[in-house]
Amino acid sequence: MLTVKGTYSKAIRHVLILLVGLAMLYPVLWLLSSSFKPNQAIFTDNGLWSHTFTFDNYKNGWKGFQGVSFSRFFGNSALISILCVLGNIVTCSLAAYAFARLDFKLKKVWFALMLVTIMLPYHVTLVPQYIIFSKLGWINTFAPLILPKWLAHDSFFILLMVQFIRGIPRELDESATIDGCGQGKLYLRIILPLLTPALISTAIFTFIWTWDDFFSQMIYISDIKLFTVQLGIRALYDPSGSSDWGALLAISVLSLLPITLIFLMFQRYFLEGIATTGLK
């Protein structure tokens, strides 16, 4: 009897989880189905399934506007995202190695200051950053979006890697030192390979956050040829109400593909990095 009750409770739990999952996925499913509907049917046909399918939305959306297609916007977003990923992987891992393994003056103070920056909202530092980049003549370039990542700008990822490195036995460092490894070789040959799960987690987070970023790109970029996917989608929207909603929704669907594929390809390493970061 207990077994039957347990089976029923499990079945009810799974059904509830499935219903909640469908409710969360409904906006994405609506977006996908609406991208294949004619403009006149998008807001009149409330069902997910439509009897009229068209691919014209994708063709019209990909053409872009003012003579610049979305292939240019996707290329810009990919370039910025890849360079930001490389920057965070290199500089954040170096900073994390220094905090986790090296001894230097005021180490605890610098680490505490680094942690404090996590609590600062981005909008607080935006104005001084904008002034600096403006004086350097880097407004309307990719530099303000990429350069901070190459200066260990994201303290969250430094903390993530510090916790991971602290879980690596120091006996490995001592053995490598006995074999003649200096700090550089110790970092490259011992720490970095073992840090792979945390590096992949950093890469996935950085790529998703950079790809989806709209605010920073809107602040620093105004040239249409430098537009990213997010700025391109915003440019398709017409506040007067005459927007090509089918094209806008179609490009929105395409903009989700890169981050979805990245997560699906590396989700095993991503989950491993998150799960093992807090272990000692």
Side-chain angles (χ1 to χ4, degrees):
M1 194 66 172
L2 292 175
T3 304
V4 174
K5 287 184 178 179
T7 303
Y8 282 142
S9 63
K10 281 186 178 180
I12 293 173
R13 251 195 330 265
H14 282 83
V15 170
L16 290 175
I17 292 173
L18 180 62
L19 292 175
V20 172
L22 289 175
M24 295 176 66
L25 286 175
Y26 179 80
V28 179
L29 296 176
W30 183 89
L31 172 67
L32 180 61
S33 65
S34 298
S35 67
F36 292 101
K37 296 178 182 178
N39 275 325
Q40 62 271 17
I42 291 177
F43 297 109
T44 57
D45 186 358
N46 296 324
L48 292 179
W49 182 264
S50 176
H51 297 288
T52 305
F53 286 87
T54 177
F55 290 94
D56 291 339
N57 294 332
Y58 288 87
K59 294 178 182 178
N60 296 334
W62 195 259
K63 292 178 182 177
F65 54 93
Q66 297 187 14
V68 184
S69 70
F70 261 87
S71 59
R72 182 68 175 265
F73 302 152
F74 272 87
N76 292 338
S77 289
L79 176 64
I80 294 172
S81 299
I82 291 172
L83 291 178
C84 287
V85 167
L86 293 176
N88 266 350
I89 287 177
V90 173
T91 58
C92 290
S93 62
L94 286 170
Y97 175 74
F99 280 123
R101 286 294 197 258
L102 303 183
D103 292 322
F104 51 89
K105 291 183 178 180
L106 302 177
K107 174 181 174 179
K108 293 183 178 180
V109 175
W110 289 116
F111 187 72
L113 290 175
M114 185 272 295
L115 293 179
V116 169
T117 61
I118 298 178
M119 296 179 281
L120 285 176
Y122 172 72
H123 306 80
V124 173
T125 60
L126 177 62
V127 174
Q129 283 185 4
Y130 186 90
I131 293 173
I132 293 173
F133 289 130
S134 178
K135 290 184 177 181
L136 291 173
W138 289 351
I139 301 300
N140 208 27
T141 68
F142 293 153
L145 305 175
I146 298 173
L147 183 63
K149 307 298 183 183
W150 286 89
L151 299 174
H153 175 263
D154 290 325
S155 302
F156 170 76
F157 297 122
I158 298 176
L159 178 62
L160 180 75
M161 295 184 193
V162 166
Q163 294 298 102
F164 196 96
I165 294 174
R166 285 175 176 173
I168 299 175
R170 285 187 174 268
E171 287 78 6
L172 295 175
D173 299 20
E174 296 171 359
S175 300
T177 303
I178 293 173
D179 290 338
C181 284
Q183 293 297 340
K185 290 184 178 180
L186 186 62
Y187 164 76
L188 290 173
R189 296 184 180 182
I190 305 298
I191 300 299
L192 207 57
L194 296 174
L195 197 58
T196 300
L199 293 177
I200 292 178
S201 299
T202 299
I204 293 175
F205 273 124
T206 303
F207 186 89
I208 292 175
W209 292 348
T210 305
W211 185 273
D212 286 342
D213 183 27
F214 171 75
F215 184 74
S216 300
Q217 298 167 5
M218 179 185 65
I219 293 296
Y220 291 113
I221 296 177
S222 58
D223 186 356
I224 294 178
K225 293 182 179 179
L226 299 178
F227 270 18
T228 61
V229 174
Q230 309 306 326
L231 295 179
I233 292 175
R234 175 61 182 83
L236 287 178
Y237 172 70
D238 185 357
S240 65
S242 59
S243 303
D244 187 348
W245 290 104
L248 196 151
L249 295 177
I251 295 300
S252 298
V253 170
L254 294 178
S255 70
L256 295 175
L257 291 180
I259 55 178
T260 303
L261 292 175
I262 289 292
F263 180 79
L264 291 177
M265 290 171 59
F266 299 102
Q267 62 175 331
R268 180 169 67 87
Y269 300 99
F270 170 74
L271 295 175
E272 182 182 350
I274 296 298
T276 57
T277 296
L279 299 179
K280 293 185 179 179

